[in-house]
Amino acid sequence: EVQLVESGGGLVLPGGSLRLSCAHSGLFFEGYAIGWFRQAPGKEREGVAAISSDDGRTYYADSVKGRFAISRDGAKNTVYLQMGSLIPEDTGVYYCAATEGPYGVGWEPEAEYDYWGQGTQVTVLS
């Protein structure tokens, strides 16, 4: 059984930082990838960043490039999203998601992902 558990969300002032964690288990698929998505109130969920398990390749949405960094710790089965220079527009529920293999089309479509966590709330005060 695959499980994804997010943690690390919270309330932060603009310009602040947070580190989200996605602890995963049961991902025994070759070439799987893990992505972070977010959903702001009244908006559709959007991709934020992703990382491939085989080569560590990373992907970022334009809106977070240079501010966010995704990384992984294989020994801990955890993927991190280090978020810096936070702005109110970064507010939302952040989800991690996992694929069962390499991307078919790309990292952003939600249909690429087979498993989802429950999400963690990030609020950047305005």
Side-chain angles (χ1 to χ4, degrees):
E1 180 186 5
V2 174
Q3 289 190 326
L4 303 171
V5 180
E6 305 95 336
S7 61
L11 196 64
V12 64
L13 292 172
S17 300
L18 280 176
R19 189 178 77 161
L20 305 183
S21 300
C22 173
H24 57 84
S25 61
L27 289 174
F28 303 117
F29 313 105
E30 185 174 350
Y32 72 87
I34 290 182
W36 283 98
F37 289 75
R38 68 186 180 190
Q39 187 166 23
K43 294 187 177 180
E44 292 187 354
R45 190 156 54 185
E46 62 177 356
V48 176
I51 188 166
S52 297
S53 64
D54 50 1
D55 59 6
R57 183 175 179 181
T58 57
Y59 309 83
Y60 295 96
D62 288 343
S63 60
V64 305
K65 281 180 182 176
R67 300 190 299 121
F68 291 11
I70 189 169
S71 62
R72 60 183 179 173
D73 184 331
K76 295 182 178 180
N77 286 339
T78 300
V79 170
Y80 302 99
L81 184 67
Q82 180 68 48
M83 305 187 296
S85 301
L86 286 162
I87 58 178
E89 290 74 17
D90 294 319
T91 293
V93 179
Y94 282 69
Y95 301 89
C96 68
T99 70
E100 287 186 342
Y103 292 121
V105 175
W107 72 274
E108 292 182 275
E110 291 188 31
E112 292 276 353
Y113 298 86
D114 303 284
Y115 306 98
W116 292 81
Q118 293 300 306
T120 185
Q121 177 71 44
V122 172
T123 302
V124 184
L125 296 174
S126 58

